[in-house]
Amino acid sequence: MKRVRIPVSTVNRLSLYLRVFGQIEAGGQATVASRELAALTGINPAQVRKDLAYFGQFGRRGVGYAVSGLKREIRCILGLERDYACAIIGMGHLGQALLMYKGLRDQGFKVVAAFDSDPDKIHWELEGVPVYDIAELKTVARELNVEIAILAVPGPAAQEVAEAVAEARIPAILNFAPVPLRPGPGVLLRQVDLAGELEALSYRLQKL
Amino acid sequence: MKRVRIPVSTVNRLSLYLRVFGQIEAGGQATVASRELAALTGINPAQVRKDLAYFGQFGRRGVGYAVSGLKREIRCILGLERDYACAIIGMGHLGQALLMYKGLRDQGFKVVAAFDSDPDKIHWELEGVPVYDIAELKTVARELNVEIAILAVPGPAAQEVAEAVAEARIPAILNFAPVPLRPGPGVLLRQVDLAGELEALSYRLQKL
């Protein structure tokens, strides 16, 4: 398939379409109209058609889009034809929950290692995943070819860990620590700010 | 304080500034320049100045912004002068982790109740929070004045739960279930798509 340059906002919506295609397939439906897709995702129909047209997909009038083909193509665009080796750093409640969360494994994000600095946690095994000493990050990351570091450490520790990630040549970080990170040079970063999501709601709750 | 109409993107950045102000205060620093704030958040300095000007804050040349005052003002804008009663629906790994996550409590989001449909989990208590039968949602939500429902249920159950939330008159949902939701009329919704965050990374990892 030829590679297309797609805006970031569209990439985020592709994930959303992927979830909906999963639902539609599970319901035994083979095609979907852009209007139905719009209703299921909350995205307007014109935007849906524009997004899907980026990679040469046009729904057929009266028939709609073929779900399984589109799903395959979106997975390909998102780089999901293969699995990604992930490491979770920080084995507190959140880190443990992410390790056990089936939703990531199902999408091809396999947690192959966990790290902590607490001697009581190191050398545990959780769901078959070994917990290593954070001091071993570089060695283990290279050995297991870790591509994504999921940070679930306390805020004050996060920047130092981000630097260790860069040194270990792990190319991407998903950060759950409640602080903005400056990733090392060449390291990709996504930030999930859980309190920030709730704050966006509290802001709007005041206006009700 | 007078109420200002602020764009959604700015509201999201306010949460980020708030985190950074927390860090700066913890470091014992009383003022911050827009350029430093920009470096710490990864937002460009002109945008920082524009965001903070929305509520009449202008840094003083050579002095910068007063951290504690700005922090208080942002908390006020985000509606954080008071606590919010939250309920977590779904006591799987993720729901349990969110319940125990100190980061939410610290920001004023107090989990007052949890819900599940599994008889083995109902009538548990976790960190002092009782787990109720989801069938009791309406009664308990009214009694405890729940304002935010945090959904950590499996995808196929999510839409039905969202409808129960609307019926219980809970005005806001933070959804972790990996499906797009159609919230009931008048219900505010934020969606955290954990796999989607990783997919945004896998997309960019291919281009490296």
Side-chain angles (χ1 to χ4, degrees):
Chain A
M1 206 191 67
K2 74 174 195 303
R3 283 282 163 76
V4 213
R5 186 136 194 98
I6 297 175
V8 178
S9 55
T10 303
V11 173
N12 292 339
R13 285 192 298 269
L14 290 184
S15 290
L16 198 60
Y17 297 134
L18 203 54
R19 289 318 151 253
V20 171
F21 291 147
Q23 280 182 295
I24 293 172
E25 264 194 340
Q29 194 180 325
T31 60
V32 63
S34 55
R35 237 189 303 182
E36 190 183 357
L37 205 47
L40 288 168
T41 54
I43 298 166
N44 77 62
Q47 183 70 63
V48 168
R49 283 188 289 268
K50 195 177 157 196
D51 285 341
L52 300 184
Y54 266 114
F55 42 100
Q57 282 286 332
F58 303 96
R60 284 170 55 204
R61 184 176 283 275
V63 177
Y65 297 91
V67 174
S68 74
L70 248 185
K71 196 179 148 196
R72 200 163 47 236
E73 215 162 327
I74 291 181
R75 288 188 61 84
C76 175
I77 288 174
L78 294 175
L80 300 174
E81 327 85 318
R82 64 174 183 89
D83 285 351
Y84 289 82
C86 303
I88 298 182
I89 306 179
M91 279 290 102
H93 296 306
L94 189 62
Q96 289 180 41
L98 291 169
L99 197 154
M100 291 187 278
Y101 184 49
K102 243 172 48 72
L104 303 188
R105 256 179 291 166
D106 291 349
Q107 300 299 322
F109 298 97
K110 287 182 69 174
V111 179
V112 295
F115 294 88
D116 206 289
S117 58
D118 179 349
D120 286 346
K121 291 183 179 169
I122 297 166
H123 307 310
W124 266 14
E125 207 183 88
L126 202 61
E127 301 269 305
V129 177
V131 182
Y132 297 97
D133 188 335
I134 182 73
E136 300 174 85
L137 182 63
K138 196 169 175 173
T139 326
V140 176
R142 285 193 181 184
E143 199 175 304
L144 300 178
N145 217 344
V146 172
E147 289 177 281
I148 301 177
I150 300 175
L151 265 57
V153 298
Q159 186 57 41
E160 198 184 327
V161 170
E163 278 150 30
V165 166
E167 218 186 298
R169 304 271 179 97
I170 300 173
I173 291 177
L174 181 61
N175 179 36
F176 285 90
V179 289
L181 283 189
R182 283 150 288 137
V187 179
L188 303 171
L189 171 69
R190 292 280 293 193
Q191 175 93 22
V192 179
D193 181 356
L194 296 176
E197 297 293 334
L198 287 164
E199 287 164 8
L201 289 173
S202 65
Y203 174 74
R204 289 157 68 196
L205 279 170
Q206 301 175 89
K207 319 269 164 182
L208 292 185
Chain B
M1 208 191 70
K2 75 174 196 301
R3 285 282 163 74
V4 213
R5 187 137 193 96
I6 296 175
V8 179
S9 54
T10 303
V11 173
N12 293 339
R13 284 192 298 270
L14 290 184
S15 289
L16 198 58
Y17 297 134
L18 203 55
R19 290 316 152 254
V20 171
F21 291 146
Q23 279 183 294
I24 294 171
E25 265 194 340
Q29 193 180 326
T31 59
V32 63
S34 54
R35 239 191 297 183
E36 191 185 355
L37 206 46
L40 287 168
T41 53
I43 298 165
N44 78 62
Q47 182 71 63
V48 169
R49 283 188 289 267
K50 196 177 157 195
D51 285 342
L52 300 184
Y54 267 114
F55 42 101
Q57 281 288 331
F58 304 96
R60 285 170 54 204
R61 185 175 283 274
V63 178
Y65 297 91
V67 174
S68 75
L70 248 185
K71 196 178 147 195
R72 201 165 44 236
E73 214 161 327
I74 291 181
R75 288 187 61 83
C76 175
I77 289 173
L78 293 176
L80 301 175
E81 328 86 317
R82 63 174 184 90
D83 286 350
Y84 289 81
C86 303
I88 299 182
I89 306 179
M91 278 290 103
H93 296 305
L94 189 62
Q96 289 181 42
L98 291 169
L99 195 154
M100 291 185 279
Y101 184 47
K102 244 170 49 71
L104 303 187
R105 256 178 291 165
D106 291 349
Q107 299 299 321
F109 298 97
K110 288 183 69 175
V111 179
V112 296
F115 294 88
D116 206 289
S117 59
D118 179 350
D120 286 346
K121 290 183 179 168
I122 297 166
H123 307 311
W124 265 13
E125 208 182 87
L126 201 61
E127 301 270 304
V129 177
V131 181
Y132 298 96
D133 187 334
I134 182 72
E136 299 174 84
L137 183 63
K138 197 169 176 174
T139 326
V140 176
R142 286 195 177 180
E143 198 174 306
L144 300 178
N145 216 346
V146 172
E147 289 177 280
I148 301 176
I150 299 175
L151 265 58
V153 298
Q159 185 56 41
E160 197 184 329
V161 171
E163 279 150 29
V165 166
E167 217 186 301
R169 303 271 180 96
I170 301 173
I173 291 178
L174 180 60
N175 179 37
F176 285 89
V179 289
L181 283 189
R182 282 151 288 138
V187 179
L188 302 172
L189 171 69
R190 292 280 293 191
Q191 175 93 22
V192 179
D193 182 356
L194 296 176
E197 297 293 334
L198 287 165
E199 287 164 7
L201 289 173
S202 65
Y203 173 73
R204 289 157 68 197
L205 279 169
Q206 300 175 87
K207 319 268 163 181
L208 292 183

